[in-house]
Amino acid sequence: MENPSYSVVEINGPDAAFQPIEKSRGKNAKQVTWVLLLKAHRAVGCVAWLATFFWALLGAIKKRLIFRQGVTVASEKLGKGKLVLRIIRVFLVTCLAILAFEVVAYMKGWHYFENANLLIPRTPDLQGLLHMVYVAWLTFRAYYIAPPIQALSNFCVVLFLIQSADRMMLSLGCFWIKYKKIKPRINGDPFRSDDAEAPGYEYPKVLVQIPMCNEREVYEQSISAVCQLDWPKDRLLIQVLDDSNEESIQYLIKAEVDKWSQKDINIIYRHRVVRTGYKAGNLKSAMGCDYVKDYEFVAIFDADFQPSPDFLNLTVPHFKDNPELGLVQARWAFVNKDENLLTRLQDINLCFHFEVEQQVNGAFLNFFGFNGTAGVWRIKALEESGGWLERTTVEDMDIAVRAHLNGWKFIFLNDVKVLCEVPESFEAYRKQQHRWHSGPMQLFRLCLPAIITSKMAIWKKANLILLFFLLRKLILPFYSFTLFCIILPLTMFVPEAELPMWVIYYVPVLMSFLNILPAPKSFPFIVPYLLFENTMSVTKFNAMVSGLCQLGSSYEWVVTKKAGRSSESDLLAAAERDMMAKNQPQIQRVVSESELGELNRLKEQKEAAPKPIKKVNKIYRKELALAFLLLAAAARSLLSAQGVHFYFLLFQGVTFLVVGLDLIGEQMS
């Protein structure tokens, strides 16, 4: 046989066949050749992928930045965005001028910046006016520019280490929870009646609220999911709180409510003519209804949330025999986390937020920030804490802080997940992050006197002020933006001010590793995640300043645009309904004139609905300016032969460029 499927082994003795055979004996030249070819193929594939990426990036630069095809420039309304942009532009122009000047000096052989000990030439060594200017620049740089940059970098390093220690403690707390299997548990059957004469079940009355505003893409699936909650119908009331200002959307939502109302679901449609206070005003108006006093708990779901039928059975029982419990918060799960690179990176952040931050704070402190949705409140806790207030754009955090000051406890259920969406476009994500980071600073200014004068323990006050607000809401965006976007590039032009290698690479990689642990399938994205988080620090820093200084944009509420993604179970259920409809015989029935009128009106509303507008990409000028600043710093690092800094600055600059050209939300292949 030319190609035998077996191998021949020479046996020299009775036990020779059972002796271990050296692995090297089974290899031949052809196998080694194939292994080398396979490795070469992988290397070539990696190089080809990088070449394709950079070629596509150059094409996007040509199309969007030079010819401005299909793009618009993003308006700078987020706080003092124009002021920040001007400052970044000044830095960029200055760095480009210094880079050009030092390239000339390098070509002339004046390599003084390569020596750690600055060498100032004497008068006989001067070689003309340009050399004199260069020497003056070296002196000015060493004595007047480097010290303040070094002081600021040391300050940011201290903040960075404090925040890293906090992140490490949270991760250790999460590991301890996993190791000890600590989680809230339900004892017995909480709804079984204790009355021997009338045995049965006593379910508390629950109010479910769905606040929405122009949610054309998701209203149907959220209302459908809530109406299928497994709870006695006479103990459940659903409020659809519609703040839409488009009549076509109002009619569609009202028609959906009427459809479920005809199925004996206790559901009410409410619409406000004057949309004051945004979501907080909507919830406050709904809680003012007379029938609300008959209900004990209220569950809140945003328009894109789809709770499972057993949601109330998994959350409400925790309130039984626990009168101090004010909130039960469930975890979010995302139906579109694999849509593109942006959704992948958001999934990493939010998984850490729920798995680590919320779970650890709930288990050890009984306090965390309410996420605004997928939670059940005790109505008494809301009323005693002052109800919903319209003073900030983070009404969920506001009510949570006030409830904590009044002694109410919170529980986080990591095992109970509610499906929802994350923003798929960078524009929507950027606006969402601006609201999430400006609102807490605005709230901190308002709540600080109440926190200081409250009667709770001092360590709880310290946790609320130092950790909850200052460290995680203020210090994090400040040092991230200042350290990696300002100081690091400046140290390339001012080498006398140095940043330790472990601050730039080792500690951030370790922190990124801890952040990505709750989402282990996202480990291939650890490098893009680290670079993208540094990029987002621009938006977060701008939002933090806006909220702290109470600028106009801190009061701006922008509804996050949804795509209307359905979960896999929803798609399977829809397919099953279609199959059943096809298999059923067609039955002719008489339709009344009123029904025909309603059908015709609904058809006209759907036809009059605006057609989907083709996506227009945005150009973000702050991100582009920082991209060119980092790329200029990378070019400067080549003059100093700092290879590691060059690669970091290069990839960080490319990331800023990708975000600035609005390429981060493109579809993944």
Side-chain angles (χ1 to χ4, degrees), residues 102 112-120 134 137-147 149-151 153 490-499 636 640 642:
E102 294 200 348
Y112 302 114
F113 44 81
E114 292 184 0
N115 191 353
N117 300 319
L118 182 63
L119 172 63
I120 304 299
Y134 180 67
W137 157 245
L138 291 180
T139 307
F140 181 78
R141 187 181 75 183
Y143 291 104
Y144 299 100
I145 299 180
I149 293 178
Q150 188 66 57
S153 65
L490 287 181
T491 55
M492 297 297 101
F493 298 97
V494 186
E496 293 81 10
E498 297 180 351
L499 275 177
R636 172 61 181 81
S640 303
Q642 298 178 351

Side-chain angles (χ1 to χ4, degrees), residues 163-174:
Q163 196 273 336
S164 300
D166 174 64
R167 190 62 56 95
M168 181 70 72
M169 293 300 297
L170 288 173
S171 300
L172 292 176
C174 182

Side-chain angles (χ1 to χ4, degrees), residues 121-137:
R122 300 298 178 184
T123 305
D125 299 329
L126 296 179
Q127 302 177 7
L129 180 61
L130 183 61
H131 195 184
M132 186 182 301
V133 172
Y134 180 67
V135 171
W137 157 245

